[in-house]
Amino acid sequence: MAEEERAVPAPEMLPSDEEREMLRESLRRLLERLWPAERAVALAADTQAIASIWHALAEQGVASLGRDPLEGGLREITVALEELGRAGCPAPLVGAVLVNIVLSPLRSSSQETDALLDALHRGDATIAFALGSFDGDPCAGTLRWNSDRLQGCVDFAEGCATATHVLVLADQGPLLVVVPRGAPGLAIEETPGLAIPPLARLTFDCVAAVPLAISQQLAEDLHQIAGLALLARSLGAAQRGFDMAVEYAKERRQFGQPIGRFQALQHKLANALMSLEAARLLLNNAARSYDFGMDNWRVLGASARAFAGPALRRLALEVHHTFGAVGYSEEHEAPRHFRRIHADLARLGGVRRAREQLAQALLDQGQALPEQDLGTAGNAFRVEVRDWLKDNWVPESREDEIDRPYEEWGYDTRFTALLGRKGWNSLSWPSAYGGEGRTPREQLAFMEEIQRVGAPMGGRGDIQAHALMSFGTPAQKAEFLPKLARGEITFCLGYSEPGSGSDLASMQTTAERDGDEWVINGQKIWTTAAEKADYMWLAARTDRTAQRPHAGISLFIVPMKTPGLTVRPSMAMYGHTFCQEFLDNVRVSAHALVGEVNQGWTILTSALATERMMMGSFIANARAEFECLVRCVREVDDSLQSGRTDGAVRDRIGALAAQVEAGRQLFMNSIEMAEKGKAPIHEAAMSKAYTGELMEQLGQVSLDILGAAATLSKGAHGAVAAGRFEQLLRFSIVTVIGGGTAEIQRNLIALHGLGLPRS
């Protein structure tokens, strides 16, 4: 059955998220009962035990997955395989899925096909599979079809220990062939290694069989589906190993305290959580796209496999590092998950093949990374914003697209006023405050389109606006919210001080009440564009005797022209200013206080969560920079054309594509949580930390690929992309340290995402 013939039901007809969770819970209970962790190793070496669990799974309908999308598509398949991986159960589901996908549409075409499918769905048949020259691994072997006979050898066949049939692909056609295990001329030789049960070599010596001609596209799709299935199984193993390691870190004591309190270990586990979540989100997105019949599922599938290969293997190593010698014993669970992860992720060409698939799509076929599906409203708003920008963000109004790609948001007064008239400076505000009340997905559509063309984001007032809505007085709301919405005023942030950067609770700037005024003294540093702002959103200490340092902080709105406030700009490395501010007996009205006295920490942390979300949105910049790099390799001039055929360049492009897609999925996860009314605390921290470091990596890889030309500034002879990449290199540091350093984000992930004790 060719891919274009695949029947794709309407999304609302497919199984729901609730049904997938029911499937997951049902399988987990079944496996806990019939495949307990303490016996999993012995059971995996017992062919009778595997046959028994396969019958039990068939009774629950698992052997039928892939037969009918209304009963279960790729998302349900990946759920089932995750649970098998978690339990260390090698039930032969992957081969069954491939047979169901290809042969179920042909049911009733022959008695043999019907009999095989019926036996498979009862649990009486099991399928081993080997893809030969379509495997993606150069050592996988080949099969030839001569007259009515199969000839050749293929390696890395899975499921042979219990198989009743073998599914293989032969070169001519290509041809799909299902052969009974006992067919004359078929020899099966186990090849022991990390996989348990072991993989096998299949030798075909004039084996008689009836082939099915399939399209080249379907053969490639079977490879992709099998790869995603193996990824799902390794993901389940990785999740189980990681969960055990986190619990161990909370309980194991060294030097008088839990090892989970050591920051070095916390950051290792935070990195592992980012990898795990990104791999899961990528897999889910690819499976969803397949089930919905979207053409982009192949690129998304390759992205998932290209990212997850190194990420989950690294996670498996960190699990063992956490356990130390305890987990090195084969009696422990960790070794079985280590084996599964490494065995599965090396299959079907592994990371190298997935990266090459991405390089083919981007460099050879000229594709771009797929657009995020933002739902009906989000997708429609994306088009609206894109069309509006064509008329309102034109070259003559911005010098040129590459001239100021990182101009500070909110200081293009003409464009900000245009956004204000459109109502787009207050997209996220509730309608009760004059906003548009746009959903987080619609806000993401706006951010992506604005950053795609290098336009400024608007009034840069979301942090202050949302804080004022929650904590401001009626007078403050009436004065500031309309002006922010129209883009008439701007704020800078007065947080960091010489002795308190990320540790804001240690700030020393003071505010003392004097009648109807507050008197502020101190110093602030690293303030972006303070010389251009109208107001400072300033945090100061109002109680020096508070038992807990963060309990004595308050928030103030300070006009920048207030006597005693001195601003000293200096040039930052990324080509714009940041400032120091000296406050010498600065007097502001009592009405300048936001919220209650000493309530500043609550307001501050709420604002920081908003800022982390905004910093995570730099993933749109990362995508734009990556696509510019791809264009340079593909198009800029003849001296770079060799990059398209350079294997090292293609591998780096494929790797970066997967990493950019992972960053997009992490940010999208925060957006979806916000849309459900949940606060994405550690999720936003993961997105922010990952995106910042990705921006740095993009700059470094650009140098590796483009060479010295990427270090030249705009206007220099030979500069690539008008100096865009040397600007990226300088700017990328801001994305890592701004809004709280990557190390602070990892502390948040460890504390809120993993429940580890404070270091």
Side-chain angles (χ1 to χ4, degrees):
M1 181 187 64
E3 167 65 17
E4 57 269 21
E5 297 172 357
R6 179 165 69 95
V8 180
E12 61 272 13
M13 298 174 63
L14 297 173
S16 64
D17 291 342
E18 291 76 12
E19 289 172 305
R20 274 184 289 282
E21 282 310 302
M22 290 172 60
L23 172 64
R24 186 184 300 279
E25 292 170 7
S26 173
L27 288 176
R28 187 165 297 185
R29 288 195 300 268
L30 175 72
L31 290 165
E32 287 173 350
R33 179 166 54 88
L34 300 179
W35 202 274
E38 63 272 13
R39 296 182 56 213
V41 173
L43 291 171
D46 184 343
T47 57
Q48 289 300 317
I50 297 173
S52 178
I53 194 66
W54 182 242
H55 273 98
L57 291 168
E59 289 176 2
Q60 292 213 354
V62 173
S64 302
L65 288 174
R67 174 181 64 180
D68 183 347
L70 295 177
E71 297 176 4
L74 191 50
R75 287 174 295 175
E76 287 70 36
I77 291 166
T78 58
V79 165
L81 281 157
E82 280 185 57
E83 290 306 307
L84 292 176
R86 182 181 183 277
C89 177
L93 178 56
V94 182
V97 164
L98 299 181
V99 165
N100 283 330
I101 288 173
V102 178
L103 297 188
S104 289
L106 303 177
R107 178 175 277 279
S108 300
S109 64
S110 71
Q111 291 183 345
E112 292 81 1
T113 296
D114 289 355
L116 174 60
L117 290 173
D118 289 341
L120 179 64
H121 301 158
R122 290 194 308 269
D124 294 335
T126 56
I127 310 295
F129 74 96
L131 302 185
S133 60
F134 297 92
D135 178 277
D137 191 304
C139 298
T142 59
L143 282 180
R144 302 289 294 173
W145 179 257
N146 295 319
S147 300
D148 58 349
R149 304 282 170 167
L150 277 176
Q151 190 75 33
C153 293
V154 290
D155 283 290
F156 315 131
E158 173 178 317
C160 291
T162 58
T164 61
H165 294 75
V166 175
L167 178 152
V168 292
L169 292 180
D171 287 357
Q172 301 97 319
L175 302 175
L176 183 143
V177 187
V178 179
V179 180
R181 180 191 181 96
L186 172 60
I188 301 175
E189 176 190 356
E190 287 190 348
T191 51
L194 288 173
I196 298 177
L199 302 177
R201 158 169 276 209
L202 306 179
T203 302
F204 294 81
D205 185 10
C206 295
V207 175
V210 179
L212 172 67
I214 63 174
S215 67
Q216 181 75 22
Q217 184 65 71
L218 181 54
E220 293 173 3
D221 288 351
L222 291 176
H223 171 272
Q224 191 74 276
I225 291 167
L228 292 173
L230 295 175
L231 167 55
R233 191 167 63 186
S234 65
L235 182 66
Q239 182 71 64
R240 172 61 178 165
F242 179 72
D243 289 344
M244 291 191 302
V246 171
E247 290 306 308
Y248 182 77
K250 296 175 184 177
E251 298 168 0
R252 173 66 167 164
R253 299 183 70 84
Q254 287 285 330
F255 308 107
Q257 57 184 318
I259 62 172
R261 181 169 285 166
F262 301 140
Q263 191 174 79
L265 184 58
Q266 288 185 346
H267 287 191
K268 278 176 173 284
L269 293 174
N271 288 339
L273 180 62
M274 281 192 280
S275 295
L276 192 64
E277 288 302 302
R280 185 188 314 285
L281 293 166
L282 287 164
L283 175 62
N284 290 347
N285 195 38
R288 175 181 178 274
S289 297
Y290 175 85
D291 288 346
F292 284 15
M294 299 178 179
D295 289 340
N296 63 17
W297 80 269
R298 299 179 181 92
V299 169
L300 296 175
S303 296
R305 296 177 59 225
F307 175 85
L312 295 186
R313 291 201 306 264
R314 183 71 243 172
L315 181 146
L317 293 170
E318 298 295 6
V319 164
H320 275 276
H321 297 165
T322 302
F323 280 120
V326 171
Y328 205 60
S329 167
E330 290 284 2
E331 296 175 359
H332 197 279
E333 265 197 64
R336 78 189 67 157
H337 299 309
F338 178 93
R339 289 172 179 273
R340 171 57 64 202
I341 292 166
H342 282 79
D344 280 355
L345 294 176
R347 298 271 305 283
L348 304 178
V351 173
R352 183 173 61 179
R353 176 61 182 139
R355 289 176 177 174
E356 175 56 24
Q357 288 172 331
L358 291 170
Q360 288 173 2
L362 297 167
L363 293 175
D364 303 338
Q365 300 168 14
Q367 296 184 40
L369 291 176
E371 297 282 10
Q372 289 278 8
D373 180 10
L374 300 177
T376 303
N379 293 338
F381 190 52
R382 175 194 283 137
V383 174
E384 181 183 350
V385 174
R386 186 173 295 176
D387 290 343
W388 185 85
L389 285 169
K390 290 177 182 177
D391 296 328
N392 292 278
W393 183 248
V394 291
E396 50 269 25
S397 70
R398 55 175 174 152
E399 298 179 18
D400 65 56
E401 182 174 335
I402 302 174
D403 184 38
R404 296 178 296 168
Y406 304 116
E407 179 173 9
E408 289 306 325
W409 300 345
Y411 297 108
D412 184 323
T413 54
R414 185 200 68 83
F415 186 70
T416 300
L418 287 175
L419 290 173
R421 287 198 289 273
K422 190 70 176 172
W424 289 351
N425 286 329
S426 51
L427 279 176
S428 63
W429 302 11
S431 57
Y433 291 103
E436 293 212 336
R438 296 279 185 173
T439 68
R441 288 172 185 259
E442 290 173 302
Q443 295 169 48
L444 176 57
F446 175 78
M447 287 187 285
E448 285 187 334
E449 290 305 310
I450 286 287
Q451 293 185 23
R452 183 179 63 85
V453 300
M457 288 287 286
R460 193 188 167 110
D462 266 2
I463 291 174
Q464 293 77 28
H466 285 286
L468 288 171
M469 292 175 203
S470 298
F471 303 101
T473 65
Q476 288 171 337
K477 296 174 186 177
E479 178 180 1
F480 293 107
L481 291 180
K483 293 177 182 177
L484 285 169
R486 292 192 297 267
E488 295 175 355
I489 58 173
T490 55
F491 279 82
C492 63
L493 296 177
Y495 291 168
S496 296
E497 298 180 7
S500 59
S502 296
D503 181 17
L504 293 179
S506 67
M507 69 177 61
Q508 298 300 309
T509 295
T510 61
E512 297 181 353
R513 187 68 181 258
D514 183 15
D516 291 335
E517 294 181 322
W518 288 92
V519 182
I520 304 173
N521 285 280
Q523 181 183 354
K524 298 292 180 179
I525 57 173
W526 306 321
T527 309
T528 301
E531 79 278 24
K532 301 176 183 178
D534 300 296
Y535 298 90
M536 178 180 288
W537 188 257
L538 181 136
R541 185 164 298 287
T542 46
D543 184 355
R544 301 187 191 187
T545 64
Q547 281 190 322
R548 293 178 298 169
H550 66 267
I553 294 172
S554 300
L555 254 294
F556 298 89
I557 297 174
V558 181
M560 296 303 293
K561 295 182 180 179
T562 305
L565 174 55
T566 302
V567 178
R568 182 182 298 168
S570 59
M571 184 58 65
M573 187 173 152
Y574 72 124
H576 297 282
T577 59
F578 65 0
C579 306
Q580 297 183 67
E581 298 80 43
F582 301 90
L583 299 103
D584 183 13
N585 290 323
V586 170
R587 289 182 171 270
V588 295
S589 164
H591 302 301
L593 176 69
V594 180
E596 303 292 333
V597 176
N598 298 330
Q599 193 185 19
W601 189 256
T602 299
I603 303 171
L604 190 67
T605 52
S606 173
L608 283 172
T610 300
E611 187 175 13
R612 280 195 295 271
M613 285 280 287
M614 292 171 61
M615 294 292 286
S617 72
F618 274 119
I619 192 62
N621 284 98
R623 177 191 177 190
E625 300 302 338
F626 171 71
E627 291 182 343
C628 181
L629 174 60
V630 171
R631 287 195 300 272
C632 287
V633 174
R634 199 172 57 212
E635 300 171 358
V636 169
D637 59 45
D638 291 340
S639 66
L640 294 174
Q641 290 301 307
S642 61
R644 294 176 60 177
T645 57
D646 186 312
V649 170
R650 295 174 71 85
D651 189 71
R652 298 296 289 276
I653 290 293
L656 272 180
Q659 291 168 311
V660 170
E661 190 59 35
R664 295 171 75 195
Q665 292 306 313
L666 286 170
F667 184 62
M668 189 68 188
N669 188 48
S670 294
I671 290 290
E672 289 178 348
M673 288 191 66
E675 197 158 56
K676 295 174 182 176
K678 300 178 181 178
I681 298 175
H682 76 273
E683 294 86 355
M686 287 196 294
S687 176
K688 192 272 179 190
Y690 180 92
T691 299
E693 291 170 351
L694 174 62
M695 292 285 280
E696 288 186 333
Q697 188 176 0
L698 276 164
Q700 299 299 325
V701 173
S702 297
L703 290 186
D704 292 342
I705 292 177
L706 302 176
T711 69
L712 302 180
S713 299
K714 181 185 176 183
H717 177 74
V720 175
R724 182 167 184 158
F725 294 109
E726 70 91 13
Q727 286 194 354
L728 167 62
L729 279 164
R730 291 184 282 119
F731 174 75
S732 63
I733 298 171
V734 174
T735 66
V736 173
I737 63 176
T741 66
E743 288 71 28
I744 293 296
Q745 306 309 319
R746 287 179 169 85
N747 290 347
L748 286 170
I749 296 164
L751 185 64
H752 296 284
L754 299 175
L756 295 174
R758 291 184 181 274
S759 59

